[in-house]
């Protein structure tokens, strides 16, 4: 059991490390690959988009075809894609590698949690194991900026992907020996039409948002991408309403608690990922630090999230989802607004606390929102609700990088400096988050967690079916 727990934690650690380590390397990628802001947006969003749209399907795959098989397949794909990324001679190859990484992560992450759920059938043991899984793997979030800064300064940006190779190799060899196979014979069939339409719809809209700044917002290509995206997403809604086993059951959104919590989770992904995309770039391009120093200076966000997240669930159990999520969103919004007023000559002593407030705010928010989504559905659908919560956060992340990047691009096109563009992006992210705080306090039903939900954990669809 301990070996299984260690392997699944290490797999999730590798995925979460990739979420933050890439941000530290963006300035070096921009210089060495001779790309602009649009290219950097694609480097991030190509990965997040695939994770967002395939996460729920990954859990179903694990149930139907074997959790061990899907986990190890995810490890192989993620590791091979990391090699492709590290050897990429151009921005196009790097984006292709990031797409493959997203596919691997969307298989590896839910399968790792499904393996734990199957290995620990007793509720108390399962909660304890998943808590350890979340805590250990969460170290990857904090380690990313520092590890990325050191690796990029020493070896260049390809090193941040090569670090996955030894981890992946150990996971594969150990997994083949240690992991036992398990599956759910009653798992639903894969919703192929829904999966394809969701990837295509969100992908086309993302294309329009990212490329609109350079191609022109009224150009036929951009207008056509938005129109095609709306048609594809409308088709997705129609299909999900008609198939017997949809990847996203629309009936869940009839519950106000479920709808409000997931709407707020979209904003969390939008503001957190969209703003953190620019943290290292601010320190390197605006304040003139090295990439290593920039990585160190972004640590307050991830450290605050790692430290505070374990307490968020406890606070929610005592004070209710609405109070804790509302306070968290308000703190995050205020922190982002404060970041909108930092400049090239602002000392780090007047910057770090703003980053920490952002991290504390989002740490207080995510677990209560996931808990609210779980409370809105039946106990048998708790894993599905948690998986949807993770998916909506990832969708928000895709949109955040695209929209806030578009804001910076438009400001620069209008003659403003990169610094002014960043200020505008942070202010928009802060305003949206504060508006969401008001929306959450007004509409999220006050409630207390009815059962133990590990702090900061979003369980994929597979986990609840054991």
């Amino acid at each position: 059991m301990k070996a299984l727990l260690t392997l699944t934690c290490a797999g999730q650690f590798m995925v979460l490390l990739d979420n933050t380590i890439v941000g530290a390397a963006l300035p070096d990628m921009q210089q060495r690959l001779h790309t602009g802001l649009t290219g950097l947006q694609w480097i991030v969003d190509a990965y997040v988009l695939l994770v967002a749209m395939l996460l729920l399907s990954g859990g179903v795959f694990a149930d139907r075809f074997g959790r061990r098989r899907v986990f190890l397949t995810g490890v192989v794909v993620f590791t091979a894609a990391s090699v492709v990324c590290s050897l990429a001679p151009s921005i196009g190859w790097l984006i292709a590698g990031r797409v493959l990484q997203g596919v691997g992560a969307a298989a590896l992450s839910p399968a790792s949690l499904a393996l734990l759920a199957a290995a620990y059938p007793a509720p108390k043991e399962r909660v304890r194991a998943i808590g350890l899984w979340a805590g250990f793997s969460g170290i990857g979030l904090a380690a990313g900026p520092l590890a990325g800064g050191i690796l990029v300064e020493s070896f260049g940006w390809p090193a941040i992907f090569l670090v996955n190779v030894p981890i992946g190799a150990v996971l594969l060899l150990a997994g083949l020996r240690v992991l036992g196979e398990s599956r759910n014979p009653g798992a639903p069939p894969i919703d192929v039409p829904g999966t394809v339409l969701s990837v295509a719809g969100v992908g086309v809209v993302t294309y329009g948002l990212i490329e609109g700044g350079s191609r022109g917002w009224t150009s036929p290509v951009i207008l056509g991408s938005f129109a095609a995206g709306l048609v594809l997403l409308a088709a997705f809604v129609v299909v999900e309403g008609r198939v017997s086993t949809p990847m996203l059951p629309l009936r869940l959104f009839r519950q106000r608690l479920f709808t409000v919590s997931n709407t707020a989770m979209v904003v969390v992904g939008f503001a957190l990922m969209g703003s953190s995309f620019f943290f290292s770039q601010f320190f390197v391009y605006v304040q003139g630090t090295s990439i290593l120093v920039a990585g160190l200076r972004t640590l307050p966000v991830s450290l605050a999230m790692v430290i505070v997240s374990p307490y968020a669930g406890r606070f929610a159990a005592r004070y209710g989802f609405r109070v804790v999520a509302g306070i968290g969103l308000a703190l995050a919004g205020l922190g982002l607004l404060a970041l909108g007023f930092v400049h090239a000559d602002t000392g780090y002593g007047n910057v770090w606390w703003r980053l920490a407030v952002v991290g504390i705010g989002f740490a207080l928010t995510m677990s209560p929102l996931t808990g609210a989504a779980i409370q809105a559905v039946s106990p048998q659908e708790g894993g599905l609700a948690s998986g949807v919560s993770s998916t909506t956060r990832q969708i928000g992340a895709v949109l955040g990088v695209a929209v806030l990047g578009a804001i910076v691009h438009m400001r620069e096109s209008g003659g403003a400096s990169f610094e002014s563009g960043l200020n505008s992006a942070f202010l928009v992210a802060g305003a949206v988050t504060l508006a969401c705080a008001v929306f959450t306090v007004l509409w999220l039903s006050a409630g207390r967690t009815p059962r133990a939900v590990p702090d900061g954990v979003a369980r994929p669809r597979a986990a609840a079916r054991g």
Side-chain angles (χ1 to χ4, degrees):
M1 288 291 191
K2 290 183 179 179
L4 182 146
L5 180 60
T6 301
L7 284 175
T8 54
C9 287
Q12 183 69 358
F13 171 87
M14 183 169 65
V15 171
L16 291 183
L17 179 69
D18 192 80
N19 285 344
T20 53
I21 201 172
V22 170
L26 290 176
D28 192 56
M29 291 177 178
Q30 186 169 18
Q31 294 172 7
R32 295 178 183 243
L33 293 174
H34 308 291
T35 187
L37 180 61
T38 297
L40 299 183
Q41 288 175 276
W42 278 119
I43 291 171
V44 174
D45 265 356
Y47 173 82
V48 180
L49 174 65
L50 270 297
V51 174
M53 296 296 98
L54 298 180
L55 192 62
L56 290 174
S57 297
V60 179
F61 264 91
D63 272 356
R64 285 184 64 83
F65 302 112
R67 291 142 185 167
R68 174 181 182 267
R69 178 180 298 174
V70 173
F71 176 81
L72 295 179
T73 300
V75 169
V76 171
V77 173
F78 191 91
T79 306
S82 298
V83 175
V84 172
C85 290
S86 67
L87 299 176
S90 64
I91 185 69
W93 277 102
L94 179 55
I95 292 172
R98 292 288 284 164
V99 169
L100 288 177
Q101 269 195 315
V103 173
L108 191 162
S109 183
S112 70
L113 198 48
L115 282 167
L116 278 186
Y120 294 89
K124 289 186 178 180
E125 292 182 357
R126 177 183 293 188
V127 168
R128 189 179 299 112
I130 293 176
L132 290 172
W133 176 87
F136 178 81
S137 57
I139 297 173
L141 291 175
L146 177 59
I150 294 173
L151 289 171
V152 172
E153 283 284 335
S154 303
F155 308 105
W157 66 262
I160 68 166
F161 296 111
L162 285 176
V163 74
N164 294 326
V165 176
I167 300 175
V170 171
L171 282 174
L172 179 61
L173 294 176
L176 288 171
R177 296 183 59 184
V178 172
L179 297 178
E181 187 59 279
S182 65
R183 56 172 53 86
N184 178 11
I190 307 298
D191 179 13
V192 176
T195 302
V196 172
L197 287 171
S198 65
V199 173
V202 177
V204 171
V205 171
T206 302
Y207 175 85
L209 290 170
I210 292 178
E211 297 290 338
S214 57
R215 293 179 178 269
W217 294 104
T218 58
S219 67
V221 173
I222 299 304
L223 292 177
S225 69
F226 287 135
L230 292 176
V231 171
L232 289 168
L233 292 175
F236 169 76
V237 172
V238 171
V239 168
E240 295 302 278
R242 293 184 177 182
V243 297
S244 58
T245 55
M247 62 174 286
L248 181 62
L250 300 180
R251 58 179 172 76
L252 296 180
F253 290 93
R254 296 171 187 165
Q255 299 290 334
R256 190 181 77 175
L257 184 61
F258 187 84
T259 301
V260 173
S261 61
N262 279 285
T263 301
M265 196 62 93
V266 171
V267 174
V268 169
F270 175 93
L272 176 58
M273 190 68 179
S275 59
S276 61
F277 173 76
F278 290 109
F279 289 160
S280 289
Q281 296 181 66
F282 166 77
F283 288 117
V284 172
Y285 295 134
V286 176
Q287 295 203 324
T289 70
S290 67
I291 292 177
L292 175 58
V293 171
L296 289 170
R297 290 190 173 186
T298 61
L299 277 176
V301 179
S302 52
L303 285 177
M305 294 186 70
V306 170
I307 293 171
V308 176
S309 288
Y311 299 96
R314 302 176 195 176
F315 293 151
R318 174 174 294 185
Y319 303 108
F321 300 128
R322 179 167 60 181
V323 172
V324 179
I327 291 174
L329 286 166
L331 284 174
L334 291 173
L336 288 169
L337 286 180
L339 284 173
F341 295 96
V342 296
H343 302 288
D345 56 355
T346 304
Y348 186 66
N350 201 21
V351 176
W352 73 266
W353 63 267
R354 306 174 196 232
L355 295 169
V357 169
V358 171
I360 292 170
F362 284 125
L364 288 174
T365 302
M366 286 190 282
S367 181
L369 289 179
T370 301
I374 292 173
Q375 181 172 303
V377 303
S378 65
Q380 293 77 16
E381 294 179 313
L384 172 59
S386 184
V388 172
S389 185
S390 294
T391 298
T392 53
R393 186 179 73 247
Q394 296 285 355
I395 291 173
V398 173
L399 297 177
V401 172
V403 172
L404 297 186
I407 290 172
V408 174
H409 197 287
M410 285 190 295
R411 293 280 285 135
E412 288 186 298
S413 299
S417 64
F418 182 66
E419 176 185 338
S420 297
L422 289 187
N423 289 339
S424 297
F426 290 142
L427 289 173
V428 169
V432 171
T433 306
L434 281 178
C436 184
V438 175
F439 166 77
T440 301
V441 169
L442 291 176
W443 290 97
L444 189 69
S445 300
R448 300 180 184 274
T449 40
R451 53 190 179 275
V453 178
D455 296 310
V457 176
R459 283 173 288 176
R461 190 173 179 176
R465 295 189 295 272

